[in-house]
Amino acid sequence: MSASDNYEAASAGASDRVAEFEDTRRGPVQKFHHALHQTPSLVPLIVLVLSIAVFGVLLGSKFFSPFALTLILQQVQIVGIVGAAQSLVILTAGIDLSVGAIMVLSSVVMGQFTFRYGLPPEVAIAAGLMCGTLMGFINGFLVARMKLPPFIVTLGMWQIVLATNFLYSANETIRSQEIATSAPLLQLFGTKFNIAGAVFTVGVIFMVLLVLILAYVLRHTAWGRHVYAVGDDPEAAELSGVNVTRTLITVYMLSGLICAFAGWALIGRIGSVSPTSGQLANIESITAVVIGGISLFGGRGSILGMLFGALIVGVFSLGLRLLGADAQWTYLLIGVLIILAVAVDQWIRKVAA
C-alpha cells in the first residue's frame, strides 16, 4: 500500500471518528441540554404544566374552573411585579433584599400624602413612584459607583427603609373604607372584571403586560443586551464598550420604580395602606426568580421564567389548600423546587462550559 493510500485510509478513519463523536454529542440528553441552555424558561414552564395537570387530575373541575385558575393569577400578582424588579437585578449578578421594604414604603407615601397632607391622589401616587425610584438610585449608586457588594447594600437599605416606613407612618393603617370613599384611585389595581367566568384585576393585567414588555426590552434592545453582558462578565462588557456603571444604576432605578408600582398594586390587593404588609416580598420574589430559571450568577435567564416560577408557587399553594393539606407542605415542596432549580442551573452551566 502506498503512502497516499495510507493517508486516505487514515483520513477516512478520522472522518468516521469525527462523525461518531458528532452523533454522540447530538444524543437526546445533549439536545435536551441545548434546549435548556437556549431557553431557560423551558424548565419552569414544564414544571408549571405538570403541576396544573396533576392538581387537575386530583381535583377535577374544582381546580380547572376559570375562577380557580384566575384566582392563582390574583394571588401572585404582587410577587410577579416585585419578581420582575428582582429579575433585573439578579440578571446583573446582584440581588436586592430591599424590594419588599421599598414596595411598602412607596404605598405608605401614597397613603400619607393623600390623607395626612390632603394632596390629590394623582400627586400622592407620583410621589410614591418617585420615592421608589430614589431608593433604587441609592442602591445603584452604592453598588456601581462605590463598588459595594449588592447583598450588603440592599440588606442595609432593607433595614433603613423598613425603619423609615414605621417611623413615617407611625405604624398607622389607613382603612379601605376611607380610601374607597376619598381616594378610589389608590385602589385602581384591585378593580375586578369578569370574562366568561374568569375574574381578572387591573393588577393582574399590569403584571402580565410588565413581564411581556420587559421580556421584549431585555431581548431586543441594546440596553437589554447590556444588562445580560454586565451579569455575564462586567469586565468584558466594559472592554466591549458597555457603560457598566450607568447600566447598573438604571437597573436599580427601574427596579425601585417597579417596586413602587407594586406598592400601588398592594393597596388595590388588600384595600388598605398598611406598613406591616408585604414583609416577605423580598424572599417570595427571589423564590420566583430562582424557580423561574434565572441564574443567581447573572447573565442567564428569562423574565418569563420568573412569571412561570411565581405561578408554580401559586398553583402549589391553591392546589394543596383545596386538597386540605397542611400549609407546611407548601413550604416543603417549594423548598425542594428551589434546590432543584439551582441544581439544574449548575448542571446547565457545567455542561455548557
Side-chain angles (χ1 to χ4, degrees):
M1 181 180 292
S2 65
S4 61
D5 291 336
N6 288 333
Y7 177 78
E8 290 176 0
S11 299
S15 299
D16 291 340
R17 287 194 296 274
V18 170
E20 290 174 3
F21 178 74
E22 289 177 350
D23 289 338
T24 303
R25 285 292 300 271
R26 295 184 182 279
V29 175
Q30 285 73 24
K31 288 181 180 179
F32 181 63
H33 168 262
H34 180 72
L36 296 182
H37 186 70
Q38 293 296 113
T39 313
S41 59
L42 187 59
V43 173
L45 178 59
I46 293 172
V47 174
L48 176 61
V49 172
L50 290 177
S51 303
I52 293 174
V54 169
F55 284 114
V57 170
L58 294 175
L59 294 166
S61 59
K62 190 177 180 181
F63 182 80
F64 266 132
S65 66
F67 175 78
L69 293 177
T70 50
L71 180 61
I72 295 172
L73 286 170
Q74 292 181 44
Q75 291 176 337
V76 304
Q77 63 180 305
I78 303 301
V79 175
I81 297 172
V82 178
Q86 188 73 259
S87 298
L88 294 174
V89 175
I90 289 181
L91 283 173
T92 65
I95 195 166
D96 193 344
L97 299 178
S98 65
V99 288
I102 292 175
M103 173 186 72
V104 178
L105 179 61
S106 299
S107 69
V108 166
V109 167
M110 293 177 190
Q112 293 295 329
F113 272 46
T114 301
F115 291 93
R116 181 187 293 181
Y117 306 129
L119 296 174
E122 296 83 357
V123 176
I125 290 168
L129 296 178
M130 287 190 292
C131 174
T133 306
L134 176 61
M135 295 299 101
F137 171 77
I138 295 173
N139 279 336
F141 180 84
L142 293 175
V143 170
R145 286 286 186 187
M146 305 299 292
K147 307 298 182 184
L148 299 179
F151 181 88
I152 301 301
V153 168
T154 57
L155 178 63
M157 184 60 71
W158 171 42
Q159 298 287 348
I160 293 170
V161 175
L162 199 63
T164 303
N165 169 38
F166 287 113
L167 291 172
Y168 177 64
S169 66
N171 209 14
E172 174 190 4
T173 298
I174 302 173
R175 297 178 299 174
S176 59
Q177 294 88 344
E178 297 179 63
I179 297 174
T181 302
S182 306
L185 184 61
L186 293 179
Q187 296 177 333
L188 173 66
F189 281 78
T191 304
K192 296 182 179 180
F193 52 94
N194 193 303
I195 301 177
V199 181
F200 295 93
T201 64
V202 174
V204 168
I205 302 302
F206 177 82
M207 174 190 70
V208 173
L209 289 176
L210 174 67
V211 169
L212 291 177
I213 291 170
L214 288 177
Y216 176 83
V217 169
L218 287 169
R219 287 296 180 185
H220 300 286
T221 68
W223 181 83
R225 290 189 290 273
H226 291 173
V227 170
Y228 279 100
V230 169
D232 189 46
D233 190 337
E235 294 182 358
E238 191 80 55
L239 291 173
S240 64
V242 176
N243 190 325
V244 174
T245 298
R246 184 173 62 190
T247 301
L248 284 173
I249 290 177
T250 55
V251 162
Y252 280 92
M253 287 179 68
L254 182 56
S255 173
L257 176 61
I258 294 172
C259 289
F261 272 107
W264 188 5
L266 181 65
I267 298 175
R269 175 66 181 158
I270 66 177
S272 60
V273 176
S274 173
T276 59
S277 58
Q279 299 299 328
L280 295 177
N282 54 349
I283 301 299
E284 292 172 343
S285 66
I286 295 172
T287 299
V289 168
V290 172
I291 294 177
I294 296 179
S295 176
L296 290 174
F297 299 98
R300 199 186 72 83
S302 165
I303 202 163
L304 285 174
M306 178 282 303
L307 180 58
F308 297 149
L311 290 173
I312 289 170
V313 175
V315 167
F316 271 85
S317 299
L318 180 63
L320 291 173
R321 193 182 314 143
L322 292 175
L323 287 172
D326 192 299
Q328 301 306 320
W329 282 103
T330 303
Y331 294 113
L332 187 150
L333 291 174
I334 297 305
V336 171
L337 283 175
I338 291 173
I339 295 173
L340 287 177
V342 174
V344 169
D345 175 63
Q346 291 283 67
W347 175 70
I348 292 173
R349 281 179 167 271
K350 184 177 180 180
V351 179

